[in-house]
């Protein structure tokens, strides 16, 4: 179900949620550079940028971004436990609402989404749509910052293979440099909205495709 006509009709509304244990152990601890918005980017650029990227893929270009965060950052330092909400207004008229959370100890990584279209609603939830459920006492070494390992091939492996094949003379990767830049532009607009309390207009048409040096040269 996308901005273009699909199985669920034309997409009109998307709500996604992503929650994870606040970064610890293998990631920087509270008070380090990771929680400094000028160095680590905060929850929007660290975690929610993936959902912003998906929103672009599913619903197309964005014209306006509005975001809030609670608790607020103090002197540019993001709280260790925090939730942010981002609302994207797409040029197609569709809306995407994205929620991201860095939670307390014991929170498992979880992502879910509801996508409403003209002909129906599609809902997914990583806590429900799983072939294996583990219900054991929490381990002191548990870390829900990253998604749990899956039986399918890692998307990181798939991505790296496409880049390797492209540099070896194969087809261009499905994800381009411009895709990454557009997602960063949305994340930066969301961060500006959180700081100012204003809705931020964006023009993603300004970001064109880039020639990749060394690929298919």
């Amino acid at each position: 179900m996308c901005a273009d006509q699909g199985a669920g009709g034309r997409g009109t509304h998307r709500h996604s949620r992503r929650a994870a244990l606040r970064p610890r152990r293998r990631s920087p601890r509270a008070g380090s550079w990771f929680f400094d918005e000028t160095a680590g980017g905060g929850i929007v650029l660290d975690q929610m940028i993936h959902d912003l990227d998906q929103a672009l893929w599913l619903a197309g270009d964005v014209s306006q971004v509005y975001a809030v965060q609670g608790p607020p950052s103090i002197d540019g330092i993001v709280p260790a436990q925090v939730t942010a909400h981002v609302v994207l207004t797409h040029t197609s008229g569709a809306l995407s609402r994205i929620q991201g959370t860095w939670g307390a100890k014991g929170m498992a990584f979880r992502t879910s989404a509801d996508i409403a279209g003209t002909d129906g609603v599609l809902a997914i939830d990583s806590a429900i749509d799983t072939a294996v459920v583990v219900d054991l006492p929490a381990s002191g070494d548990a870390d829900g910052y990253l998604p749990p390992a899956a039986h399918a091939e890692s998307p990181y492996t798939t991505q790296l293979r496409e880049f390797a094949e492209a540099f070896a003379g194969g087809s261009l990767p499905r994800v381009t440099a411009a895709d990454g830049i557009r997602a960063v532009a949305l994340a930066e607009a969301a961060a500006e909205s959180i700081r100012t309390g204003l809705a931020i207009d964006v023009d993603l048409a300004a970001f064109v495709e880039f020639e990749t040096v060394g690929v298919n040269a």
Side-chain angles (χ1 to χ4, degrees):
M1 189 182 302
C2 307
D4 296 330
Q5 193 76 14
R10 191 172 189 82
T12 59
H13 186 86
R14 177 178 180 271
H15 185 197
S16 65
R17 297 158 294 275
R18 184 181 297 253
L21 175 70
R22 72 169 177 82
R24 66 185 187 92
R25 294 190 70 231
R26 291 185 295 275
S27 300
R29 296 181 180 275
S32 72
W33 64 267
F34 189 89
F35 296 91
D36 184 337
E37 290 178 327
T38 61
I43 187 172
V44 176
L45 275 95
D46 169 69
Q47 183 201 81
M48 299 174 70
I49 190 170
H50 305 295
D51 298 286
L52 299 174
D53 189 24
Q54 290 177 6
L56 280 171
W57 183 68
L58 289 167
D61 278 353
V62 171
S63 58
Q64 190 175 81
V65 181
Y66 179 72
V68 294
Q69 175 188 296
S73 300
I74 299 177
D75 296 329
I77 303 301
V78 183
Q81 297 175 27
V82 66
T83 295
H85 299 265
V86 178
V87 178
L88 305 177
T89 301
H90 296 268
T91 56
S92 65
L95 290 177
S96 290
R97 295 191 299 131
I98 300 167
Q99 173 184 317
T101 297
W102 280 342
K105 181 179 180 180
M107 173 177 282
F109 183 93
R110 179 175 182 177
T111 182
S112 62
D114 303 290
I115 307 172
T118 52
D119 296 334
V121 177
L122 171 66
I124 57 173
D125 189 330
S126 64
I128 298 174
D129 303 325
T130 178
V132 179
V133 176
V134 179
D135 190 6
L136 297 173
S139 166
D141 293 331
D143 191 342
Y145 177 56
L146 295 175
H151 296 291
E153 179 178 85
S154 166
Y156 301 115
T157 301
T158 305
Q159 183 182 59
L160 288 171
R161 180 186 298 111
E162 287 201 3
F163 277 109
E165 291 176 351
F167 275 99
S171 301
L172 289 173
R174 286 172 288 180
V175 179
T176 68
D179 291 325
I181 292 173
R182 286 152 59 86
V184 170
L186 287 187
E188 290 180 338
E192 182 181 353
S193 179
I194 290 172
R195 288 193 302 269
T196 63
L198 303 174
I200 306 300
D201 293 331
V202 295
D203 180 13
L204 297 182
F207 301 104
V208 297
E209 295 293 333
F210 295 87
E211 285 290 332
T212 305
V213 178
V215 177
N216 289 341

